[in-house]
Amino acid sequence: MTMQQAVLNEAYQWLGTPYRHGAARKQVGCDCLGLIRGVWREIYGDEPETPATYAPDWAELSDKEPLLDAAAKYMVSRPIPALLQDVLPAQVLVFRWQPTMTAKHIAIMGHEGRFIHAYHGHRVLTSALVPQWFRRIAGVFEFPQPAGQVIQGRNL
């Protein structure tokens, strides 16, 4: 199984998980970061760090970028694609609501032009990566490939 398959297999299992700010438990509750944390745990075991408390407000103004910084620290950074169709399945997308706001939303690109995410008032679901979402992408990342390691019973 490839890393891409492992990420997508796990992410799709989270569909329907209720939204719970700060949570990260499949079919119990999670927010957008909790989805990524849960997929990470399934693939690697432990999370690399416990996130600090964060506000659910997407309209946060700050000179800090904790979500982008953490993604860059633990994942493989990729260039933001120029075209919508160039976003690849299993890539992690970080979104910024407005150009002057802190990036506060994260998702996993799925199949057929749809991404997997959780946001307030909804369960984990897929949404089309339409131009309104695409233009808000602030960063693109991939889960790192563990060299020759068995991941939760799967050889990658």
Side-chain angles (χ1 to χ4, degrees):
M1 179 178 294
T2 66
M3 176 59 76
Q4 180 187 52
Q5 291 168 324
V7 169
L8 290 175
N9 285 349
E10 181 61 21
Y12 279 114
Q13 290 182 37
W14 285 70
L15 291 175
T17 299
Y19 179 89
R20 298 285 184 268
H21 177 72
R25 294 199 50 209
K26 182 172 32 179
Q27 300 308 320
V28 174
C30 73
D31 59 10
C32 63
L33 179 58
L35 169 64
I36 305 304
R37 292 173 54 210
V39 171
W40 183 282
R41 281 193 313 267
E42 176 62 23
I43 292 172
Y44 304 103
D46 294 327
E47 295 178 50
E49 68 180 57
T50 302
T53 304
Y54 52 93
D57 185 9
W58 286 16
E60 184 177 343
L61 296 173
S62 173
D63 59 348
K64 295 186 168 105
E65 291 286 356
L67 192 55
L68 281 170
D69 291 345
K73 183 175 179 180
Y74 298 110
M75 297 183 161
V76 179
S77 184
R78 298 291 183 222
I80 296 174
L83 301 173
L84 222 151
Q85 62 266 27
D86 293 336
V87 179
L88 301 175
Q91 286 186 323
V92 175
L93 309 175
V94 178
F95 297 95
R96 181 185 317 282
W97 193 246
Q98 295 292 330
T100 59
M101 294 178 182
T102 302
K104 293 280 293 205
H105 192 57
I106 192 165
I108 297 171
M109 189 65 192
H111 295 296
E112 299 175 0
R114 300 182 72 80
F115 62 98
I116 305 158
H117 65 136
Y119 64 101
H120 186 73
H122 300 274
R123 295 176 177 268
V124 175
L125 50 78
T126 66
S127 296
L129 187 61
V130 295
Q132 293 85 347
W133 276 109
F134 181 76
R135 72 173 171 253
R136 291 186 168 100
I137 295 175
V140 176
F141 302 89
E142 292 176 357
F143 283 81
Q145 179 71 44
Q149 180 178 338
V150 175
I151 298 178
Q152 300 295 319
R154 296 185 285 266
N155 274 323
L156 295 184

PDB file of all heavy atoms in Angstrom, residues 9-27:
ATOM      1  N   ASN A   9      -7.359   5.977   2.698  1.00  0.00           N
ATOM      2  CA  ASN A   9      -8.164   4.933   3.353  1.00  0.00           C
ATOM      3  C   ASN A   9      -8.592   5.372   4.740  1.00  0.00           C
ATOM      4  O   ASN A   9      -9.751   5.210   5.129  1.00  0.00           O
ATOM      5  CB  ASN A   9      -7.384   3.616   3.437  1.00  0.00           C
ATOM      6  CG  ASN A   9      -7.296   2.903   2.112  1.00  0.00           C
ATOM      7  OD1 ASN A   9      -7.964   3.251   1.143  1.00  0.00           O
ATOM      8  ND2 ASN A   9      -6.439   1.896   2.059  1.00  0.00           N
ATOM      9  N   GLU A  10      -7.651   5.933   5.506  1.00  0.00           N
ATOM     10  CA  GLU A  10      -7.986   6.365   6.861  1.00  0.00           C
ATOM     11  C   GLU A  10      -8.887   7.598   6.844  1.00  0.00           C
ATOM     12  O   GLU A  10      -9.872   7.666   7.573  1.00  0.00           O
ATOM     13  CB  GLU A  10      -6.717   6.625   7.674  1.00  0.00           C
ATOM     14  CG  GLU A  10      -6.984   7.054   9.102  1.00  0.00           C
ATOM     15  CD  GLU A  10      -7.748   6.024   9.930  1.00  0.00           C
ATOM     16  OE1 GLU A  10      -7.762   4.819   9.590  1.00  0.00           O
ATOM     17  OE2 GLU A  10      -8.340   6.442  10.950  1.00  0.00           O
ATOM     18  N   ALA A  11      -8.561   8.574   6.021  1.00  0.00           N
ATOM     19  CA  ALA A  11      -9.352   9.818   5.995  1.00  0.00           C
ATOM     20  C   ALA A  11     -10.819   9.539   5.656  1.00  0.00           C
ATOM     21  O   ALA A  11     -11.724  10.106   6.287  1.00  0.00           O
ATOM     22  CB  ALA A  11      -8.751  10.799   4.996  1.00  0.00           C
ATOM     23  N   TYR A  12     -11.058   8.670   4.693  1.00  0.00           N
ATOM     24  CA  TYR A  12     -12.447   8.371   4.321  1.00  0.00           C
ATOM     25  C   TYR A  12     -13.199   7.670   5.448  1.00  0.00           C
ATOM     26  O   TYR A  12     -14.420   7.784   5.542  1.00  0.00           O
ATOM     27  CB  TYR A  12     -12.510   7.552   3.028  1.00  0.00           C
ATOM     28  CG  TYR A  12     -12.379   8.410   1.781  1.00  0.00           C
ATOM     29  CD1 TYR A  12     -11.277   8.297   0.952  1.00  0.00           C
ATOM     30  CD2 TYR A  12     -13.361   9.336   1.450  1.00  0.00           C
ATOM     31  CE1 TYR A  12     -11.156   9.082  -0.189  1.00  0.00           C
ATOM     32  CE2 TYR A  12     -13.257  10.121   0.323  1.00  0.00           C
ATOM     33  CZ  TYR A  12     -12.157   9.993  -0.494  1.00  0.00           C
ATOM     34  OH  TYR A  12     -12.045  10.788  -1.621  1.00  0.00           O
ATOM     35  N   GLN A  13     -12.495   6.974   6.340  1.00  0.00           N
ATOM     36  CA  GLN A  13     -13.152   6.333   7.476  1.00  0.00           C
ATOM     37  C   GLN A  13     -13.680   7.351   8.487  1.00  0.00           C
ATOM     38  O   GLN A  13     -14.505   7.018   9.330  1.00  0.00           O
ATOM     39  CB  GLN A  13     -12.194   5.363   8.159  1.00  0.00           C
ATOM     40  CG  GLN A  13     -11.909   4.136   7.333  1.00  0.00           C
ATOM     41  CD  GLN A  13     -10.992   3.177   8.058  1.00  0.00           C
ATOM     42  OE1 GLN A  13     -11.080   3.012   9.282  1.00  0.00           O
ATOM     43  NE2 GLN A  13     -10.102   2.546   7.323  1.00  0.00           N
ATOM     44  N   TRP A  14     -13.194   8.581   8.416  1.00  0.00           N
ATOM     45  CA  TRP A  14     -13.638   9.625   9.328  1.00  0.00           C
ATOM     46  C   TRP A  14     -14.931  10.307   8.874  1.00  0.00           C
ATOM     47  O   TRP A  14     -15.521  11.090   9.629  1.00  0.00           O
ATOM     48  CB  TRP A  14     -12.531  10.670   9.507  1.00  0.00           C
ATOM     49  CG  TRP A  14     -11.422  10.173  10.375  1.00  0.00           C
ATOM     50  CD1 TRP A  14     -10.511   9.208  10.076  1.00  0.00           C
ATOM     51  CD2 TRP A  14     -11.124  10.613  11.700  1.00  0.00           C
ATOM     52  NE1 TRP A  14      -9.649   9.024  11.133  1.00  0.00           N
ATOM     53  CE2 TRP A  14     -10.000   9.879  12.137  1.00  0.00           C
ATOM     54  CE3 TRP A  14     -11.671  11.572  12.539  1.00  0.00           C
ATOM     55  CZ2 TRP A  14      -9.435  10.064  13.389  1.00  0.00           C
ATOM     56  CZ3 TRP A  14     -11.100  11.755  13.793  1.00  0.00           C
ATOM     57  CH2 TRP A  14      -9.999  11.000  14.198  1.00  0.00           C
ATOM     58  N   LEU A  15     -15.371  10.033   7.643  1.00  0.00           N
ATOM     59  CA  LEU A  15     -16.606  10.660   7.158  1.00  0.00           C
ATOM     60  C   LEU A  15     -17.744  10.393   8.135  1.00  0.00           C
ATOM     61  O   LEU A  15     -17.902   9.272   8.617  1.00  0.00           O
ATOM     62  CB  LEU A  15     -16.965  10.152   5.764  1.00  0.00           C
ATOM     63  CG  LEU A  15     -16.047  10.594   4.633  1.00  0.00           C
ATOM     64  CD1 LEU A  15     -16.448   9.932   3.324  1.00  0.00           C
ATOM     65  CD2 LEU A  15     -16.038  12.117   4.483  1.00  0.00           C
ATOM     66  N   GLY A  16     -18.508  11.420   8.424  1.00  0.00           N
ATOM     67  CA  GLY A  16     -19.633  11.300   9.349  1.00  0.00           C
ATOM     68  C   GLY A  16     -19.294  11.572  10.801  1.00  0.00           C
ATOM     69  O   GLY A  16     -20.195  11.682  11.635  1.00  0.00           O
ATOM     70  N   THR A  17     -17.996  11.692  11.131  1.00  0.00           N
ATOM     71  CA  THR A  17     -17.612  12.006  12.512  1.00  0.00           C
ATOM     72  C   THR A  17     -18.157  13.385  12.877  1.00  0.00           C
ATOM     73  O   THR A  17     -17.958  14.343  12.134  1.00  0.00           O
ATOM     74  CB  THR A  17     -16.071  11.978  12.668  1.00  0.00           C
ATOM     75  OG1 THR A  17     -15.601  10.659  12.363  1.00  0.00           O
ATOM     76  CG2 THR A  17     -15.649  12.375  14.073  1.00  0.00           C
ATOM     77  N   PRO A  18     -18.856  13.521  14.007  1.00  0.00           N
ATOM     78  CA  PRO A  18     -19.415  14.820  14.389  1.00  0.00           C
ATOM     79  C   PRO A  18     -18.328  15.868  14.635  1.00  0.00           C
ATOM     80  O   PRO A  18     -17.219  15.537  15.067  1.00  0.00           O
ATOM     81  CB  PRO A  18     -20.156  14.536  15.706  1.00  0.00           C
ATOM     82  CG  PRO A  18     -20.358  13.061  15.734  1.00  0.00           C
ATOM     83  CD  PRO A  18     -19.222  12.467  14.959  1.00  0.00           C
ATOM     84  N   TYR A  19     -18.660  17.120  14.365  1.00  0.00           N
ATOM     85  CA  TYR A  19     -17.726  18.216  14.623  1.00  0.00           C
ATOM     86  C   TYR A  19     -17.665  18.475  16.126  1.00  0.00           C
ATOM     87  O   TYR A  19     -18.687  18.655  16.779  1.00  0.00           O
ATOM     88  CB  TYR A  19     -18.157  19.500  13.910  1.00  0.00           C
ATOM     89  CG  TYR A  19     -17.204  20.637  14.188  1.00  0.00           C
ATOM     90  CD1 TYR A  19     -16.095  20.839  13.388  1.00  0.00           C
ATOM     91  CD2 TYR A  19     -17.387  21.478  15.285  1.00  0.00           C
ATOM     92  CE1 TYR A  19     -15.193  21.855  13.655  1.00  0.00           C
ATOM     93  CE2 TYR A  19     -16.489  22.498  15.571  1.00  0.00           C
ATOM     94  CZ  TYR A  19     -15.395  22.676  14.746  1.00  0.00           C
ATOM     95  OH  TYR A  19     -14.497  23.676  15.017  1.00  0.00           O
ATOM     96  N   ARG A  20     -16.448  18.489  16.675  1.00  0.00           N
ATOM     97  CA  ARG A  20     -16.209  18.858  18.066  1.00  0.00           C
ATOM     98  C   ARG A  20     -14.894  19.623  18.091  1.00  0.00           C
ATOM     99  O   ARG A  20     -13.832  19.054  17.799  1.00  0.00           O
ATOM    100  CB  ARG A  20     -16.071  17.634  18.988  1.00  0.00           C
ATOM    101  CG  ARG A  20     -17.295  16.755  19.068  1.00  0.00           C
ATOM    102  CD  ARG A  20     -18.404  17.358  19.918  1.00  0.00           C
ATOM    103  NE  ARG A  20     -19.519  16.445  20.032  1.00  0.00           N
ATOM    104  CZ  ARG A  20     -20.575  16.419  19.218  1.00  0.00           C
ATOM    105  NH1 ARG A  20     -20.653  17.248  18.220  1.00  0.00           N
ATOM    106  NH2 ARG A  20     -21.547  15.556  19.401  1.00  0.00           N
ATOM    107  N   HIS A  21     -14.945  20.886  18.430  1.00  0.00           N
ATOM    108  CA  HIS A  21     -13.737  21.716  18.439  1.00  0.00           C
ATOM    109  C   HIS A  21     -12.695  21.120  19.378  1.00  0.00           C
ATOM    110  O   HIS A  21     -12.985  20.790  20.522  1.00  0.00           O
ATOM    111  CB  HIS A  21     -14.062  23.151  18.865  1.00  0.00           C
ATOM    112  CG  HIS A  21     -12.842  24.006  18.947  1.00  0.00           C
ATOM    113  ND1 HIS A  21     -12.160  24.428  17.836  1.00  0.00           N
ATOM    114  CD2 HIS A  21     -12.150  24.461  20.012  1.00  0.00           C
ATOM    115  CE1 HIS A  21     -11.109  25.127  18.215  1.00  0.00           C
ATOM    116  NE2 HIS A  21     -11.077  25.165  19.538  1.00  0.00           N
ATOM    117  N   GLY A  22     -11.475  20.951  18.876  1.00  0.00           N
ATOM    118  CA  GLY A  22     -10.359  20.460  19.671  1.00  0.00           C
ATOM    119  C   GLY A  22     -10.281  18.945  19.809  1.00  0.00           C
ATOM    120  O   GLY A  22      -9.297  18.427  20.321  1.00  0.00           O
ATOM    121  N   ALA A  23     -11.303  18.233  19.359  1.00  0.00           N
ATOM    122  CA  ALA A  23     -11.324  16.777  19.505  1.00  0.00           C
ATOM    123  C   ALA A  23     -10.640  16.107  18.313  1.00  0.00           C
ATOM    124  O   ALA A  23     -10.456  16.715  17.257  1.00  0.00           O
ATOM    125  CB  ALA A  23     -12.763  16.283  19.643  1.00  0.00           C
ATOM    126  N   ALA A  24     -10.290  14.817  18.499  1.00  0.00           N
ATOM    127  CA  ALA A  24      -9.595  14.072  17.445  1.00  0.00           C
ATOM    128  C   ALA A  24      -9.873  12.576  17.575  1.00  0.00           C
ATOM    129  O   ALA A  24      -8.958  11.767  17.593  1.00  0.00           O
ATOM    130  CB  ALA A  24      -8.099  14.356  17.509  1.00  0.00           C
ATOM    131  N   ARG A  25     -11.160  12.201  17.660  1.00  0.00           N
ATOM    132  CA  ARG A  25     -11.524  10.792  17.801  1.00  0.00           C
ATOM    133  C   ARG A  25     -12.514  10.396  16.716  1.00  0.00           C
ATOM    134  O   ARG A  25     -13.615  10.949  16.636  1.00  0.00           O
ATOM    135  CB  ARG A  25     -12.125  10.534  19.180  1.00  0.00           C
ATOM    136  CG  ARG A  25     -11.052  10.743  20.260  1.00  0.00           C
ATOM    137  CD  ARG A  25     -11.336  10.128  21.575  1.00  0.00           C
ATOM    138  NE  ARG A  25     -11.722   8.732  21.485  1.00  0.00           N
ATOM    139  CZ  ARG A  25     -12.526   8.156  22.370  1.00  0.00           C
ATOM    140  NH1 ARG A  25     -13.030   8.836  23.365  1.00  0.00           N
ATOM    141  NH2 ARG A  25     -12.826   6.885  22.244  1.00  0.00           N
ATOM    142  N   LYS A  26     -12.102   9.442  15.906  1.00  0.00           N
ATOM    143  CA  LYS A  26     -12.917   8.961  14.789  1.00  0.00           C
ATOM    144  C   LYS A  26     -14.285   8.489  15.264  1.00  0.00           C
ATOM    145  O   LYS A  26     -14.393   7.742  16.237  1.00  0.00           O
ATOM    146  CB  LYS A  26     -12.171   7.829  14.070  1.00  0.00           C
ATOM    147  CG  LYS A  26     -12.883   7.274  12.877  1.00  0.00           C
ATOM    148  CD  LYS A  26     -12.080   6.284  12.035  1.00  0.00           C
ATOM    149  CE  LYS A  26     -11.114   5.448  12.763  1.00  0.00           C
ATOM    150  NZ  LYS A  26     -10.388   4.504  11.898  1.00  0.00           N
ATOM    151  N   GLN A  27     -15.317   8.949  14.587  1.00  0.00           N
ATOM    152  CA  GLN A  27     -16.717   8.620  14.842  1.00  0.00           C
ATOM    153  C   GLN A  27     -17.220   9.090  16.208  1.00  0.00           C
ATOM    154  O   GLN A  27     -18.351   8.829  16.571  1.00  0.00           O
ATOM    155  CB  GLN A  27     -16.983   7.113  14.655  1.00  0.00           C
ATOM    156  CG  GLN A  27     -16.661   6.616  13.259  1.00  0.00           C
ATOM    157  CD  GLN A  27     -17.326   7.416  12.136  1.00  0.00           C
ATOM    158  OE1 GLN A  27     -18.483   7.817  12.222  1.00  0.00           O
ATOM    159  NE2 GLN A  27     -16.579   7.664  11.059  1.00  0.00           N
TER     160      GLN A  27
END
